[in-house]
Every structure is written in structure tokens, then in C-alpha cells.
């Protein structure tokens, strides 16, 4: 693998900070990340942000096909040339913003559940995780490199300071696992913050199922919208449009102390709460 610095210089390309372009500079590490995905020769990989191809090359060697989506048109030609030079012909490179890509159509095209891989640009990583949650019927598993703090938040348990909206949303529908730490010095240019590789395996159906998943996700958002407040106050000051007395009653009905904070509530607690709110809205014929 030619170093990212040499490749960028040869192609007269400057890494763009706003696209989170910190390229992996260690082929052994790239191979180790791909191994964590447990790819086999039937798998179709969706790679988000292939960049100069550090992960693309080992993934293409292990999988049937790689669909690689990058927003930066400047590096598409470079990547194509690198892949041809490496004798790799099973990668389809698409120039697009991943947040605008319909994962269901890629899934139909692949005619099997996707394995999603990516060293994600830090500024869109939480949006990508939410996108994967919503499209999880199309995704079997994901191996993602994220900023260390973001990975900690995703994998956090209730009661910890890091526990938040994404921990609960993923806790509802997936199993997450910290796979390996990655030092900032292993990228070019080096970012300020270390990274962590995590694994996500989606569970369909979820072990504890909400009656209305859309409502569950809105309740989670409302509860963490004001995370320093009690659940009663956070919910009553949210877009759910429930007054404080109703929130007090519904929380008690769901066997949750209204004075607790969102960061202490487990996934089954959130599901109970959203089901109780959903029942209340059906009875009063009021949409939350
Ligand atoms: C952290 S770099 C990773 C590059 C390569 N996978 C590696 O590990 O060296 C992030 C990549 O995502 C691309 N990118 C940034 N925003 C994107 C978006 N919205 N959609 C698709 N790709 C994006 C960047 O152009 C860049 O190639």
C-alpha cells in the first residue's frame, strides 16, 4: 500500500477537514479491522467513505463484492486506479453523500443483507448510525471506526455519564461491541482524538419490542433532550406535548420514578414508558 501522504501528493490532492479526511496509514491495522467483520465470499460490503482504499482492498479480497460510497469526487479516480493496479475488480465506487443514499435500494441490488464497514467521517458519524438503525432490515452487521468518545457513548450502559440517545436506540435493536482502540498517530493527517472500532449486530425482531418504534425513538429523544432534568420535566418540556401531571402519572404507571433522569433508565424501561404513552394517546385519541 502506498502511503496516504505519497498518494495525495502524487495526485495533487489536499485532505479536506470538512470531509473528515484522516486516512488510515497502517495496512496491518486495516487488515485487522476487516478481519473483525468476519467476511466470507458471499458477503456484500457497503463501505462508507473508502477514501484511498485502506479498508476497501482487504474487504474486496475477502467479500464477493464491495459497494464503496464516497462524497469526494477528487479521490474516485485515484481509488479506481489504485484498485486496478492491485488487480481488484469487485469494487463498485459510487460518488454520493451517504446520508442521501437509499440503503434499501443498495440492499435490493445486492440481494442480501449488507455488511457495512467504514472509518466514518467524525462529523456525520451519529447521523450514519441513526441511518443504519432505520435501515437495519437491510444490514446484517457493521464494523465502524469512530472517534473514541462517540464509541464510548454508543456502547455505554445505563447509569454512566456516556449513556445517551444512541446507546438506547442501539441497545433496543442491536448488540454492540468495542473491538479495538486505534491511536490518532496511525492516520494521515493525524486527528487530535484517538479512535475506536466497534461492531454492531442488528437483532430483528428486538428482544423487548415496542408497540410503536417511531414513538419509542421520539420518547428517547425527548428524555435525553434535557438530560440534566428529571424524566417528568424533560418529557413535559418536549415535543411530545404532554403536561407535567400527565407525565408524572404515565411514568408512575410504567413503574418508573418520575424524579429519575434519562441516563439511569434501561432499554426495557424506555420500551415500557413508550408503550404506556402510546396507550394513553390511543385512549385519549391524542397523538403525542
Ligand atoms: C476518515 S476518512 C476514511 C478513509 C478511508 N476509509 C481510510 O480508512 O483511510 C472518511 C472518508 O469519508 C468520505 N466522506 C466524508 N463525508 C462523506 C459523506 N457524507 N458521504 C460519503 N463519504 C463521505 C471522505 O471523503 C473520506 O474519504
Amino acid at each position: 500500500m502506498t502511503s496516504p501522504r505519497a498518494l495525495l501528493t502524487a495526485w495533487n490532492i489536499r485532505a479536506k477537514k470538512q470531509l473528515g479526511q484522516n486516512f488510515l496509514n497502517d495496512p496491518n491495522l486495516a487488515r485487522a479491522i476487516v478481519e473483525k467483520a468476519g467476511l466470507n465470499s458471499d458477503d456484500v460490503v457497503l463501505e462508507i467513505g473508502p477514501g484511498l482504499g485502506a479498508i476497501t482492498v482487504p474487504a474486496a479480497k475477502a467479500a464477493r463484492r464491495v459497494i464503496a460510497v464516497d462524497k469526494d469526487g477528487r479521490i474516485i479516480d485515484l481509488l479506481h486506479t489504485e484498485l486496478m493496479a492491485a488487480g481488484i475488480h469487485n469494487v463498485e465506487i459510487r460518488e454520493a453523500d451517504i446520508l442521501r443514499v437509499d440503503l434499501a435500494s443498495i440492499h435490493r441490488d445486492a440481494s442480501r443483507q449488507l455488511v457495512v464497514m467504514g472509518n466514518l467521517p467524525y462529523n456525520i458519524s451519529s447521523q450514519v448510525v441513526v441511518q443504519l438503525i432505520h435501515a437495519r432490515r437491510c444490514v446484517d452487521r457493521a464494523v465502524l471506526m469512530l472517534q473514541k468518545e462517540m464509541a464510548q457513548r454508543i456502547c455505554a450502559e445505563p447509569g454512566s455519564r456516556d449513556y445517551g440517545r444512541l446507546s438506547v436506540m442501539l441497545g433496543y435493536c442491536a448488540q454492540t461491541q468495542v473491538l479495538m482502540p486505534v491511536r490518532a498517530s496511525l492516520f494521515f493527517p493525524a486527528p487530535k482524538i484517538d479512535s475506536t472500532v466497534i461492531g454492531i449486530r442488528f437483532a430483528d425482531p428486538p428482544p423487548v419490542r415496542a408497540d410503536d418504534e417511531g414513538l419509542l425513538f421520539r420518547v428517547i429523544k425527548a428524555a435525553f433532550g434535557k438530560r440534566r432534568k428529571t424524566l417528568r420535566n424533560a418529557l413535559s418540556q418536549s415535543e411530545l406535548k404532554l403536561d407535567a401531571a400527565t407525565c408524572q402519572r404515565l411514568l408512575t404507571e410504567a413503574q418508573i420514578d418520575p424524579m429519575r433522569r434519562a441516563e439511569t433508565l434501561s432499554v426495557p424501561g424506555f420500551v415500557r414508558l413508550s408503550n404506556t404513552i402510546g396507550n394513553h394517546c390511543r385512549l385519549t385519541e391524542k397523538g403525542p
Side-chain angles (χ1 to χ4, degrees):
M1 173 185 162
T2 315
S3 77
R5 185 198 288 269
L7 264 181
L8 293 170
T9 307
W11 285 74
N12 197 21
I13 294 174
R14 278 175 79 93
K16 281 192 184 167
K17 210 172 171 183
Q18 67 271 31
L19 289 177
Q21 289 183 337
N22 304 101
F23 300 105
L24 203 50
N25 199 5
D26 181 337
N28 291 329
L29 177 60
R31 273 194 295 275
I33 292 170
V34 170
E35 263 172 36
K36 293 287 182 190
L39 296 175
N40 66 52
S41 54
D42 281 336
D43 280 323
V44 177
V45 173
L46 167 64
E47 190 190 357
I48 301 173
L52 311 178
I55 292 173
T56 324
V57 171
K61 286 181 179 164
R64 171 154 64 89
R65 183 176 165 205
V66 177
I67 299 164
V69 177
D70 205 294
K71 192 176 176 182
D72 189 350
R74 300 174 310 159
I75 53 179
I76 302 280
D77 283 350
L78 183 164
L79 179 58
H80 186 72
T81 307
E82 281 298 297
L83 293 174
M84 290 302 111
I88 288 173
H89 303 284
N90 58 342
V91 178
E92 183 191 324
I93 309 168
R94 300 189 187 175
E95 181 183 342
D97 177 345
I98 190 63
L99 298 175
R100 293 173 178 273
V101 169
D102 176 17
L103 299 193
S105 79
I106 296 196
H107 170 235
R108 270 195 302 281
D109 179 28
S111 56
R112 61 178 295 131
Q113 280 197 308
L114 304 165
V115 181
V116 176
M117 301 202 66
N119 168 12
L120 296 186
Y122 69 95
N123 53 338
I124 60 162
S125 45
S126 51
Q127 292 172 77
V128 169
V129 170
V130 172
Q131 181 183 23
L132 295 182
I133 291 171
H134 288 303
R136 65 183 189 273
R137 267 184 210 88
C138 313
V139 179
D140 179 61
R141 59 196 188 279
V143 171
L144 305 175
M145 178 144 41
L146 304 163
Q147 282 195 329
K148 185 178 162 188
E149 285 72 12
M150 166 93 188
Q152 280 167 347
R153 286 206 295 279
I154 282 181
C155 300
E157 296 289 334
S160 87
R161 237 187 12 188
D162 290 327
Y163 187 67
R165 179 176 166 228
L166 286 185
S167 340
V168 185
M169 286 176 78
L170 277 170
Y172 172 68
C173 62
Q175 287 185 326
T176 56
Q177 197 187 359
V178 170
L179 296 176
M180 64 171 96
V182 180
R183 276 179 289 117
S185 58
L186 295 172
F187 298 91
F188 176 83
K192 290 201 176 75
I193 295 172
D194 289 340
S195 294
T196 299
V197 180
I198 66 159
I200 300 174
R201 189 173 280 275
F202 289 104
D204 211 16
V208 186
R209 210 165 175 172
D211 298 339
D212 176 346
E213 185 177 301
L215 176 60
L216 171 70
F217 290 166
R218 287 169 58 211
V219 170
I220 295 167
K221 188 175 176 198
F224 285 101
K226 297 198 167 61
R227 62 180 294 142
R228 301 309 310 151
K229 299 208 171 194
T230 63
L231 278 166
R232 183 192 58 191
N233 290 349
L235 295 180
S236 63
Q237 292 165 26
S238 74
E239 58 98 33
L240 292 174
K241 297 194 172 56
L242 297 167
D243 61 46
T246 306
C247 290
Q248 170 94 18
R249 185 169 61 72
L250 295 177
L251 281 156
T252 308
E253 203 176 303
Q255 295 170 352
I256 298 161
D257 179 349
M259 295 301 123
R260 280 171 70 175
R261 295 201 171 103
E263 66 200 31
T264 68
L265 196 60
S266 65
V267 171
F270 271 105
V271 171
R272 249 185 1 258
L273 176 58
S274 112
N275 289 349
T276 307
I277 294 176
N279 284 338
H280 160 81
C281 295
R282 269 189 295 281
L283 287 174
T284 57
E285 291 185 356
K286 234 173 90 179

